[in-house]
Amino acid sequence: MPGSNYFSSWDFTSDPCNFAGVYCDGDKVIALNLGDPRAGSPGLTGRLDPAIGKLSGLAEFTVVPGRIIGTLPQTMSQLKNLRFLAVSRNFISGEIPATIGQLRGLQTLDLSFNQLSGSIPWSIGALPALSNVILCHNRLSGSVPPFTSHTLTRLDLKHNDLSGSLSPTSLPPSLQYLSLSWNRLDGSMDGLLPRLNRLNYLDLSMNRFTGSIPGSLFSFPISSLQLQRNSFTGPVQPVDQVSIPTVDLSFNRLSGQISPLFSTVENLYLNNNRFIGQVPASFVDRLLAANIQILYLQHNFLTGIEISPSAEIPLSSSLCLQYNCMVPPVQTPCPLKAGRQKTRPTAQCIEWRG
């Protein structure tokens, strides 16, 4: 890119193994880390040359963020020793070559933040040594292929145009990080999710998932659970006291009573659902003790909360109760998106109870 003088130090009269970003083992190039990784450095421009396929010893290939254009060369399938491929935050277009599925030793595939289109090749899902697959922020479509690697810990496919459903066995139990948000995925997840009990991050938001949310999910070692803006239905019944710091179940079709087992969550978003009944007293206790930071219950069909109108809600805590089947006993600032109406129309509440 303009301002980049990265290749100016490459002196072709000397040993290429001494070039910046080139690493050798004997007379073979084993790693290419192209571009200056320091923050603010200009990236590279141009295309990836198909001749890269001739570097038979290459185990690692990375390019810093820049303006690389064109497609991924089919010749990459010749790099039989490749373990690490990361060309993120460039302008790579076209489809992901299915022949990447021939790289049996590939462990990390990071093609995020590009302009890739077409479907994710099923041959990639069958790679046996994969541990990290990061294809987020592209234009990928079609279904999510089954991933069979027993070492896969990170799968990030957010911000694409993926559709279809996932079968109960389509992802391995080794997963620790799963993000599928901002796609058009549908179907039930209650067969798949209970198997993924090593997850520490789960984001399925902004999709069209249906069915119930398995109660066992809330016992997983998750730090952030994002299930908002789907079509999940039914009651939500955790098995035990929930220790996940942030749980967002907002904008679904969840119903039934709110479980008191959620009162140990620091940031809880249950707004825009169909919950009914009283807010459990344990929520009020923890809110007034500043153990709950965010409790969003607006736009449900809740009928009461035991809290004194003179109760002092800590400044560090946010409570929103508006647009339920009750007059909020305390006036608390709600997010602008909650609207101005304090209470749900009586006719809706009678109809819902009926």
Side-chain angles (χ1 to χ4, degrees):
M1 283 176 69
S4 173
N5 54 4
Y6 181 74
F7 292 112
S8 62
S9 65
W10 283 25
D11 176 7
F12 286 91
T13 63
S14 64
D15 182 1
C17 290
N18 295 326
F19 290 180
V22 179
Y23 303 87
C24 297
D25 182 11
D27 61 349
K28 284 199 179 295
V29 176
I30 57 166
L32 278 180
N33 304 134
L34 301 180
D36 187 340
R38 288 176 296 191
S41 305
L44 307 175
T45 187
R47 298 171 185 268
L48 297 176
D49 195 302
I52 193 171
K54 295 177 181 175
L55 297 173
S56 59
L58 199 64
E60 185 176 312
F61 179 56
T62 66
V63 180
V64 301
R67 298 190 76 83
I68 305 282
I69 59 169
T71 58
L72 289 170
Q74 293 282 349
T75 53
M76 284 194 149
S77 62
Q78 298 165 27
L79 303 173
K80 301 302 183 192
N81 293 307
L82 199 64
R83 293 194 303 270
F84 193 94
L85 174 58
V87 189
S88 65
R89 296 181 187 272
N90 276 278
F91 289 80
I92 306 285
S93 58
E95 299 193 0
I96 301 172
T99 50
I100 285 183
Q102 296 171 21
L103 305 178
R104 307 293 288 170
L106 194 65
Q107 296 170 7
T108 290
L109 176 64
D110 183 356
L111 303 174
S112 58
F113 292 91
N114 278 291
Q115 296 175 357
L116 293 162
S117 57
S119 58
I120 301 170
W122 281 50
S123 59
I124 288 177
L127 286 171
L130 280 179
S131 58
N132 298 289
V133 177
I134 308 168
L135 302 175
C136 59
H137 290 270
N138 278 288
R139 300 168 184 174
L140 297 167
S141 56
S143 58
V144 177
F147 283 87
T148 56
S149 167
H150 295 300
T151 54
L152 187 67
T153 56
R154 185 182 185 95
L155 180 61
D156 190 347
L157 305 178
K158 66 176 172 279
H159 283 270
N160 278 290
D161 195 29
L162 299 166
S163 57
S165 58
L166 285 83
S167 80
T169 55
S170 59
L171 299 176
S174 54
L175 269 181
Q176 295 175 20
Y177 179 106
L178 176 61
S179 181
L180 302 174
S181 63
W182 292 86
N183 280 288
R184 292 188 295 121
L185 297 164
D186 57 31
S188 171
M189 295 291 277
D190 55 7
L192 172 62
L193 288 177
R195 297 177 58 250
L196 306 180
N197 60 0
R198 296 181 204 168
L199 283 174
N200 56 46
Y201 182 91
L202 177 61
D203 188 352
L204 305 180
S205 63
M206 312 295 281
N207 278 288
R208 301 171 182 178
F209 290 119
T210 54
S212 61
I213 298 172
S216 59
L217 181 64
F218 299 100
S219 303
F220 293 176
I222 296 175
S223 58
S224 180
L225 178 61
Q226 309 284 331
L227 301 181
Q228 69 271 26
R229 294 185 184 271
N230 280 285
S231 296
F232 289 116
T233 54
V236 189
Q237 309 281 7
V239 179
D240 207 342
Q241 214 54 66
V242 181
S243 58
I244 303 170
T246 296
V247 174
D248 193 340
L249 308 181
S250 63
F251 292 92
N252 278 287
R253 298 173 186 174
L254 302 169
S255 57
Q257 306 239 353
I258 294 175
S259 168
L261 296 173
F262 280 117
S263 64
T264 39
V265 176
E266 291 171 30
N267 302 295
L268 182 63
Y269 302 84
L270 298 179
N271 53 290
N272 296 80
N273 279 290
R274 298 169 182 179
F275 289 114
I276 59 168
Q278 287 268 124
V279 178
S282 51
F283 281 93
V284 177
D285 296 340
R286 291 184 59 81
L287 184 75
L288 296 179
N291 297 126
I292 296 178
Q293 292 178 350
I294 293 174
L295 181 57
Y296 279 0
L297 303 174
Q298 68 270 24
H299 287 257
N300 279 288
F301 292 81
L302 300 167
T303 48
I305 181 170
E306 291 291 326
I307 187 169
S308 163
S310 60
E312 289 283 326
I313 293 173
L315 287 172
S316 60
S317 302
S318 294
L319 169 68
C320 184
L321 294 169
Q322 71 184 48
Y323 211 72
N324 277 288
C325 297
M326 61 174 168
V327 177
V330 285
Q331 296 304 313
T332 54
C334 283
L336 282 173
K337 282 186 287 189
R340 292 184 178 178
Q341 277 184 281
K342 295 288 181 211
T343 306
R344 188 179 282 278
T346 308
Q348 286 186 21
C349 295
I350 294 170
E351 183 185 344
W352 194 248
R353 274 180 232 152

